[in-house]
Amino acid sequence: MVEPSEVQRGLEDVVALESRICFIDGREGRLIYQGYDIRDLAAKSTFEEVAYLLWYGRLPTRGQLTDLRSRLGELRRLPAPLTERIESMPLESPPMDVLRTGVSELALFEPDESRPGSGSIGGAQRLTAALPTIMGVFHRKRAGLPPLKDRPELSPAAYLLYALLDREPTELEAKAIDVALILHADHELNASTFAARVTASTLSDLYSSVTSAVGTLKGPLHGGANERVMELLDQIGTPELVETVVRDKLARHERIMGFGHRVYKVEDPRATILREWSRKVGEAKGNLRYYDLLRKVEEVVHREKGLYPNVDLYSGSIYSLLGIPHDLFTPIFAFSRVSGWTAHVLEEYQDLRLIRPTAKYVGPTDLVYVPIDARPAGPVDGPPPG
Ligand code: COA
């Protein structure tokens, strides 16, 4: 047995496993999926093609891509009792809670995928197709929109916009979302992917692994930074106030969302691409307000702290310009990352080893057990929950 060494808080820099799915070169600012640079994929491919790449480890032929597209279209529909359940959830529920519960309940209708250690590319496709439907059913109910149709002819990006906004996206809008989906599809052992792999490593199933991942992505330190970026822009209001607001925040040691990264020491390559899309969508909408504000925020944060933007800086501006409510930003992240989560779970099954790190114990070991009636009065416990 290896002697426990120093604690690596947050498992920072700990190499936990070997993977062929995703490589991040934090010094050069490169992100690679299965050998392909994200910049090429964002410029030349589609989300479906990237999902295929993550699952199969190679790019599809035209025929394989056509088959995948029609499969994803067919797999969108939820079992009727699940649709009814989602429609009856409290309308004020946080969307990520609905998504987590929806994934977990969908498993009850997919018994083959829910057995211990089971999971297939078919299950990965089912989840990737169904997540936007789960959210679409819920959001339409709370927003008073008409019920969702399957629309199998729509690409995942166009379906997502139709499901959430009940309108036909323009080509540019669908492409902007498609690029965002490509860029969020995988990111090595980020917290939610790690959670999925930990769950799979116990020989649990694909749906349980994705349920763990959705719960992990819900945390604001992982998903949700783009929502906070938009709150900051609302708070700033006009370009003249950027300098003052940002400097005040930094002086109070507050974090500016959308900046900094655990792995990238230079600009996150996803931010570079999304910056361009924020400008393109802003120009198409005749509204460059967010883009102009963000450029100025970037300038101040870089000058004052030397920090670079991450993927979350510009994505929220694109989603907002398309009319997507802020609380759906993290679900959209999940619609994309589910392709990576499932690829990692399937890879975990290929080379399974229970993930079980160890803790450095810092408590006492030799306390003497005192019978309950002989114990001195302790502090008053807080009230019970609820
Ligand atoms: N705004 C202001 N200061 C920041 C910062 C930010 N966004 N990110 C890091 N820093 C500062 C820290 O305050 C710290 O400064 P100090 O040494 O003076 O205390 C220093 O940079 C290092 O921070 P640390 O938390 O150790 O870096 P990390 O690598 O663990 O953090 C993040 C990575 C992503 C958690 C962090 O950059 C952050 O909180 N960013 C904002 C949230 C965000 O955008 N999340 C999405 C990530 S894709």
Side-chain angles (χ1 to χ4, degrees):
M1 190 189 146
V2 184
E3 276 302 304
S5 56
E6 276 313 291
V7 175
Q8 296 294 331
R9 291 191 67 237
L11 300 184
E12 195 168 343
D13 295 331
V14 171
V15 180
L17 48 90
E18 288 185 349
S19 175
R20 297 185 63 81
I21 298 171
C22 180
F23 172 57
I24 306 170
D25 184 339
R27 303 217 162 272
E28 296 293 323
R30 290 185 74 204
L31 173 58
I32 311 281
Y33 294 164
Q34 300 274 19
Y36 295 93
D37 194 301
I38 192 80
R39 288 172 287 211
D40 284 337
L41 294 171
K44 298 172 193 162
S45 76
T46 58
F47 173 64
E48 305 91 291
E49 202 173 346
V50 165
Y52 186 102
L53 173 67
L54 293 173
W55 293 325
Y56 291 93
R58 56 183 154 79
L59 288 170
T61 62
R62 190 170 291 283
Q64 288 163 339
L65 186 59
T66 307
D67 287 349
L68 177 63
R69 282 200 175 124
S70 55
R71 254 189 92 59
L72 290 175
E74 285 161 17
L75 290 169
R76 273 174 195 155
R77 179 180 296 195
L78 301 180
L82 178 56
T83 302
E84 282 164 28
R85 286 268 302 154
I86 296 168
E87 285 179 335
S88 67
M89 285 176 189
L91 296 180
E92 62 285 3
S93 305
M96 284 301 281
D97 290 359
V98 172
L99 198 63
R100 187 196 58 223
T101 306
V103 168
S104 188
E105 289 209 19
L106 182 60
L108 305 177
F109 297 90
E110 307 279 345
D112 287 346
E113 295 286 335
S114 311
R115 278 193 278 275
S118 64
S120 65
I121 292 182
Q125 293 171 354
R126 172 63 161 148
L127 279 159
T128 303
L131 257 59
T133 308
I134 293 171
M135 207 69 273
V137 167
F138 174 71
H139 176 66
R140 282 167 166 265
K141 181 78 186 176
R142 71 175 184 171
L145 296 171
L148 189 56
K149 299 199 176 75
D150 296 346
R151 304 293 309 267
E153 77 287 4
L154 294 180
S155 70
Y159 175 70
L160 180 164
L161 285 167
Y162 155 70
L164 299 180
L165 304 177
D166 195 40
R167 68 176 174 82
E168 297 293 323
T170 64
E171 214 172 293
L172 182 106
E173 289 176 327
K175 187 59 200 159
I177 289 294
D178 194 51
V179 168
L181 292 177
I182 291 171
L183 297 179
H184 288 83
D186 199 49
H187 214 229
E188 203 222 43
L189 281 195
N190 60 92
S192 56
T193 303
F194 189 57
R197 287 194 79 134
V198 169
T199 305
S201 85
T202 69
L203 263 187
S204 188
D205 61 284
L206 183 67
Y207 277 74
S208 299
S209 304
V210 170
T211 306
S212 297
V214 176
T216 307
L217 182 64
K218 181 187 167 190
L221 291 185
H222 187 4
N226 52 3
E227 271 183 71
R228 306 281 104 70
V229 171
M230 297 314 292
E231 284 164 15
L232 175 68
L233 296 192
D234 287 344
Q235 187 191 340
I236 292 173
T238 60
E240 303 76 57
L241 287 177
V242 170
E243 186 88 29
T244 322
V245 174
V246 172
R247 284 172 63 132
D248 281 357
K249 281 185 173 293
L250 291 174
R252 288 195 301 271
H253 299 286
E254 280 180 38
R255 288 190 177 221
I256 311 294
M257 294 295 131
F259 289 91
H261 201 275
R262 180 60 71 75
V263 186
Y264 294 113
K265 302 305 167 206
V266 292
E267 179 163 296
D268 180 335
R270 301 168 299 176
T272 317
I273 298 168
L274 288 173
R275 183 191 290 116
E276 269 315 288
W277 276 96
S278 174
R279 186 183 56 74
K280 275 189 213 173
V281 175
E283 279 171 357
K285 300 271 173 199
N287 178 1
L288 284 166
R289 183 175 157 262
Y290 295 140
Y291 177 79
D292 291 339
L293 283 173
L294 287 169
R295 291 296 284 158
K296 187 92 184 109
V297 173
E298 262 196 76
E299 184 196 313
V300 179
V301 173
H302 191 258
R303 179 182 358 109
E304 297 295 319
K305 288 288 279 186
L307 289 167
Y308 293 98
N310 62 43
V311 67
D312 286 309
L313 189 66
Y314 283 95
S315 56
S317 66
I318 298 171
Y319 303 156
S320 293
L321 284 167
L322 299 187
I324 297 172
H326 290 189
D327 66 356
L328 296 179
F329 291 0
T330 308
I332 291 176
F333 189 160
F335 301 165
S336 163
R337 187 59 58 87
V338 67
S339 60
W341 290 332
T342 49
H344 277 270
V345 168
L346 298 178
E347 189 182 58
E348 186 65 35
Y349 290 144
Q350 298 298 310
D351 184 23
L352 193 122
R353 177 147 176 94
L354 177 71
I355 299 175
R356 201 296 191 193
T358 192
K360 178 177 175 182
Y361 181 66
V362 294
T365 53
D366 295 315
L367 298 183
V368 175
Y369 183 85
V370 180
I372 193 159
D373 292 326
R375 289 173 206 163
V380 179
D381 295 329

